[in-house]
Amino acid sequence: RKMAALESPIRGLLKQRLGRGKVDMLIMYENHNEAQGEVKVQQAKLEAYVRALREQAERFGLTDDLALSHILQLPDVLTSEETQEDFTALEPALMEAVGEALDQLCAMRAREGGKLKADVSGRLETIEKLVGEIEKDSAGRVRAYTEKLYARLQELLGDRSIDESRLLTEAAIFADKTAIDEETVRLHSHVAQYRDILEMAEPIGRKLDFLT
């Protein structure tokens, strides 16, 4: 709390170095200077204790065994006053320490991001490979369906003629129902966008979430 005046420059440095995310920072400070404060004896309080205790000893006929060590343990006899420190003088050293901590944090995030990038890139390659296989299989699907339908009609109709226009109509309906060009083109586009986003030097988590 005593360093509250330094919160603003620290926040500024954090915002400058970290684009997004939630950050908790704990700063612990210990003064190793020998002259940290002054201990004082509250003379009036001490005299009042001694006087009261001796009056009671005399009143009840008790042995007066007062010792300084006993009296000093009584409440408010000893008080300490902390030396007022100029915490703003600590700002250069503190900002340097925060900067070093941020360097380590950013290095760790970069290592983690590199591994995630490699993992995502590998998955993109797998997706592209699978989509390519699907497109290859899909290319001859209408022809295979038409040939199968033609063979089935020949089997059913025997020597009777087959209505070629009806056959083409059925093939067209099948082609329309099973067309996947729009989906595969969009998926190729998304993969390309993923790769572009992965190369950005800015925070990309939200962009990838949206694209996914």
Side-chain angles (χ1 to χ4, degrees):
R1 294 180 180 178
K2 296 177 181 178
M3 295 186 180
L6 301 178
E7 182 176 352
S8 180
I10 291 174
R11 281 182 176 273
L13 183 58
L14 291 175
K15 289 182 178 180
Q16 178 184 342
R17 297 287 301 276
L18 305 175
R20 66 180 294 232
K22 181 179 181 296
V23 178
D24 292 320
M25 174 172 283
L26 175 64
I27 297 174
M28 300 175 66
Y29 170 74
E30 185 176 349
N31 188 346
H32 294 282
N33 189 347
E34 293 181 358
Q36 294 186 42
E38 183 179 357
V39 176
K40 291 184 177 181
V41 175
Q42 299 301 316
Q43 194 68 34
K45 181 79 68 174
L46 187 147
E47 291 175 358
Y49 274 129
V50 171
R51 186 167 53 251
L53 291 172
R54 284 183 171 164
E55 286 177 358
Q56 297 305 313
E58 184 178 346
R59 178 180 178 184
F60 293 102
L62 301 175
T63 301
D64 185 352
D65 60 351
L66 285 179
L68 182 61
S69 59
H70 297 154
I71 299 174
L72 292 179
Q73 294 178 30
L74 295 173
D76 302 324
V77 174
L78 293 180
T79 59
S80 61
E81 295 181 2
E82 293 186 5
T83 303
Q84 295 297 318
E85 295 185 69
D86 180 12
F87 286 101
T88 56
L90 295 174
E91 183 173 350
L94 179 58
M95 297 302 286
E96 181 181 353
V98 173
E100 291 179 5
L102 284 170
D103 288 342
Q104 295 181 34
L105 173 61
C106 291
M108 183 198 70
R109 294 178 77 182
R111 288 193 297 270
E112 182 180 349
K115 292 179 180 179
L116 290 173
K117 179 182 178 182
D119 179 75
V120 172
S121 297
R123 296 176 189 274
L124 293 177
E125 291 178 4
T126 301
I127 290 173
E128 279 192 321
K129 179 181 178 182
L130 294 174
V131 173
E133 294 175 1
I134 291 171
E135 289 174 319
K136 184 178 179 181
D137 291 341
S138 177
R141 186 168 296 169
V142 176
R143 178 184 294 276
Y145 172 79
T146 304
E147 292 175 353
K148 184 177 180 180
L149 180 60
Y150 188 81
R152 181 64 175 158
L153 289 174
Q154 277 190 323
E155 182 181 339
L156 293 173
L157 298 176
D159 295 335
R160 285 175 289 176
S161 62
I162 297 175
D163 187 346
E164 295 288 343
S165 62
R166 182 60 188 273
L167 182 65
L168 292 175
T169 299
E170 290 294 333
I173 293 173
F174 176 80
D176 183 62
K177 288 182 177 181
T178 60
I180 60 170
D181 292 356
E182 181 179 349
E183 285 75 17
T184 57
V185 168
R186 183 183 295 115
L187 192 49
H188 281 301
S189 173
H190 285 175
V191 169
Q193 291 180 65
Y194 241 89
R195 289 200 172 104
D196 289 341
I197 293 174
L198 286 175
E199 298 303 323
M200 292 181 176
E202 61 189 70
I204 60 174
R206 289 181 181 174
K207 290 184 174 66
L208 292 183
D209 284 343
F210 176 78
L211 189 56
T212 301

